[in-house]
Amino acid sequence: MPQKLLDLFSKILDIIFPPKCGFCGKINKDYLCKKCEVKIKYLKRDSIKKVKNAFFKYHLYAYNYKNEIREKMLNYKFHDEPELAETFSKLMLKNEKICRFLKTYDIIIPVPMYRKKQILRGYNQADLIAKKVAKELNIEYIKDALIKTKQTKTQSSLSAKERQNNVKDAYTYNTKQKIKDKKIILFDDIYTTGSTAKECSRILKLSGAKEVSVLTFAKD
Ligand SMILES: [Zn+2]
């Protein structure tokens, strides 16, 4: 579809479904109102931490996974509210320190979902946010560089040790050539014990990535 037509289509959609603040629901073209931005400021972290003994070098995250952020992330994942990706990506992009760091990387890749699970949910929550962040920062985005090859249990229902076993060999690479010798940002919505991040970055390194760092919207 030509770009002009796409723009027009998006304008019409904005009139029928006006953009709303993801937190209070009031109409707001930025998907986030000033009042809510200030209200959740106490959960903002802007963290860039070097990680030892992992296949990834740094872990970056923007918010603590608590209260308002936790509530909205749960809605986003489990209550069919994909439009919250707009609000989360806006919050992520407001973080100058993290954005500056991201721009030193070549590619952003989201943690994939198992195909059947994604069909049921209708979207991959990591993909929706990562795609917007990559586009805005002008970083190459490869959605399908990793594939989830087995259906695992929901990580949040497991202990740290169980989480590690649960994700073991659950991912494989898809586009080995495209990531060879590249600096990669792996994106996921939440970081808890890091089991998923560790396993996915292991696969990316095995596929020839030069360096992997992990970006999550929030940290538990
Ligand atoms: Zn609001």
Side-chain angles (χ1 to χ4, degrees):
M1 206 187 276
Q3 190 58 42
K4 270 189 181 168
L5 210 59
L6 277 176
D7 290 346
L8 179 70
F9 191 57
S10 134
K11 271 184 194 152
I12 293 170
L13 276 179
D14 279 355
I15 294 166
I16 308 171
F17 306 104
K20 288 176 184 160
C21 169
F23 289 90
C24 66
K26 284 186 186 145
I27 292 174
N28 185 291
K29 66 173 174 43
D30 294 324
Y31 297 91
L32 175 72
C33 76
K34 275 278 163 250
K35 218 171 153 183
C36 290
E37 194 185 343
V38 171
K39 206 174 144 196
I40 58 167
K41 212 166 181 177
Y42 74 105
L43 295 170
K44 199 166 179 245
R45 288 299 174 270
D46 308 353
S47 171
I48 301 178
K49 276 196 186 118
K50 200 157 188 179
V51 181
K52 278 183 191 161
N53 307 322
F55 289 93
F56 59 100
K57 202 168 175 184
Y58 292 93
H59 174 219
L60 301 83
Y61 65 95
Y63 279 85
N64 261 355
Y65 187 62
K66 270 188 189 159
N67 306 341
E68 292 93 338
I69 292 290
R70 182 172 182 275
E71 189 190 311
K72 287 297 162 188
M73 289 235 91
L74 288 172
N75 283 354
Y76 177 47
K77 280 171 86 162
F78 303 113
H79 298 283
D80 193 26
E81 292 189 33
E83 62 282 1
L84 276 169
E86 297 282 357
T87 305
F88 292 134
S89 55
K90 283 275 162 14
L91 284 171
M92 195 96 231
L93 288 162
K94 278 175 181 283
N95 193 310
E96 284 176 26
K97 188 178 153 192
I98 288 183
C99 289
R100 258 201 312 275
F101 187 90
L102 292 178
K103 282 181 185 168
T104 64
Y105 281 73
D106 304 311
I107 301 169
I108 298 184
I109 291 170
V111 167
M113 272 172 91
Y114 189 63
R115 201 175 130 76
K116 209 163 98 187
K117 197 171 167 187
Q118 187 172 331
I119 289 170
L120 288 175
R121 184 173 296 174
Y123 54 96
N124 170 353
Q125 70 276 0
D127 165 47
L128 294 190
I129 303 173
K131 186 163 60 185
K132 291 177 199 299
V133 171
K135 191 179 174 211
E136 208 56 46
L137 298 178
N138 211 7
I139 302 171
E140 189 183 351
Y141 183 65
I142 307 181
K143 184 184 171 180
D144 58 354
L146 289 173
I147 299 173
K148 192 164 189 188
T149 51
K150 71 177 186 191
Q151 188 156 21
T152 52
K153 290 179 190 156
T154 303
Q155 289 285 79
S156 54
S157 63
L158 306 172
S159 71
K161 187 78 205 154
E162 286 169 334
R163 282 170 189 244
Q164 221 175 336
N165 290 330
N166 191 37
V167 294
K168 181 122 184 57
D169 301 319
Y171 299 91
T172 187
Y173 56 81
N174 184 27
T175 52
K176 195 174 179 177
Q177 284 313 314
K178 288 186 186 166
I179 63 167
K180 200 167 174 352
D181 299 324
K182 301 283 189 189
K183 287 177 77 181
I184 312 273
I185 291 288
L186 174 74
F187 181 83
D188 205 358
D189 49 348
I190 306 162
Y191 188 103
T192 307
T193 59
S195 305
T196 305
K198 281 172 197 158
E199 182 61 13
C200 287
S201 47
R202 184 178 76 87
I203 302 295
L204 290 171
K205 287 289 277 191
L206 278 177
S207 325
K210 183 177 165 191
E211 185 184 314
V212 180
S213 281
V214 172
L215 169 69
T216 59
F217 178 75
K219 183 179 180 289
D220 197 359

